[in-house]
Amino acid sequence: MIVRVQDIPFDAGLELNGFAKGRPDVGAIVTFSGLVRDVPGGLQGMEIEHYPGMTAKAIEAIAAEAQQRWSLADVLVIHRYGVLEPTDPIMMVATASKHRADAFAAADFLMDYLKSRAPFWKKETTGDGADWVAAKDEDEAALDRWS
Amino acid sequence: MDVLYFAWVRERIGLPKERVETSATTVNDLVAELIAREERYAAAFADTSALRVAIDQELTDFDAPLAGAREVAFFPPMTGG
């Protein structure tokens, strides 16, 4: 399991190429990348706050849960905090497994849980000022899929 | 114990962290003590259903006991990913 919480940018392609490398038991890798997307009014920037003492532990617990539920060769989670610009990568998840079904399901699970259970908070700045992104009810409801 | 605030909770209260001496037995009791202090706490804790709480860096509920807690954190629902 690789979990990185960092303020510096990362290269998703480079990370993918190095992930689960040299593992002949791995037949499938699924990745998801989350990017800073534009919003109505024009996004000038995004700031991501996190809870330093808790963040890595919370992500590791979510990744460990994924490893229990599915047969995974490895899991990678990278999540940024700090000041980001439109189009910047925010985070990525990668899962490696023997067959694709486990890797797809685990990546989907990881994203649902990272969205609502990893202690990050996004603040968007537009021409109208800066405001915290509100959590969506549908994101919370998405967790029910896995219970 | 240390009490931490994040995102708009931090902004409303006006600080990220403080040391609180309390005999509160649950998170709800601690919230009631904080609300009684000053208006900025009352503003931040007006609707606890819109907030989340962690004790010693583990998510928990507002009726959770505080016995042995070293660190309590209050924040809005998380928006990771």
Side-chain angles (χ1 to χ4, degrees), chain A residues 25-77:
Chain A
D25 55 321
V26 170
I29 291 178
V30 166
T31 70
F32 171 87
S33 299
L35 313 177
V36 179
R37 127 183 131 252
D38 203 5
V39 296
L43 187 76
Q44 293 168 359
M46 173 182 280
E47 187 156 4
I48 301 177
E49 182 171 334
H50 79 125
Y51 182 171
M54 177 176 169
T55 314
K57 278 197 288 186
I59 296 173
E60 282 160 11
I62 294 165
E65 172 76 20
Q67 285 176 316
Q68 283 212 332
R69 288 181 179 229
W70 294 280
S71 181
L72 300 174
D74 208 352
V75 177
L76 164 77
V77 179

Side-chain angles (χ1 to χ4, degrees), chain A residues 3-5 48-63 77-80 90-91 93 109-122 135 139-140 143, chain B residues 6 52 54 57 59 75-81:
Chain A
V3 171
R4 293 197 341 241
V5 180
I48 301 177
E49 182 171 334
H50 79 125
Y51 182 171
M54 177 176 169
T55 314
K57 278 197 288 186
I59 296 173
E60 282 160 11
I62 294 165
V77 179
I78 302 171
H79 204 303
R80 290 183 66 192
I90 299 172
M91 56 89 62
V93 155
F109 169 89
L110 284 164
M111 284 314 305
D112 278 352
Y113 271 82
L114 291 169
K115 195 104 201 155
S116 307
R117 291 292 181 270
F120 292 98
W121 301 275
K122 296 187 181 116
D139 289 337
E140 192 66 30
L143 300 184
Chain B
F6 293 95
R52 300 288 181 266
Q57 305 165 357
L59 277 177
F75 40 81
M78 294 152 273
T79 51

Side-chain angles (χ1 to χ4, degrees), chain B residues 8-9 12 31 35 41-52 62 75-77:
Chain B
W8 58 255
V9 182
R12 275 185 206 177
V31 168
I35 285 174
Y41 292 94
F45 290 108
D47 177 13
T48 52
S49 73
L51 293 179
R52 300 288 181 266
F62 279 78
F75 40 81

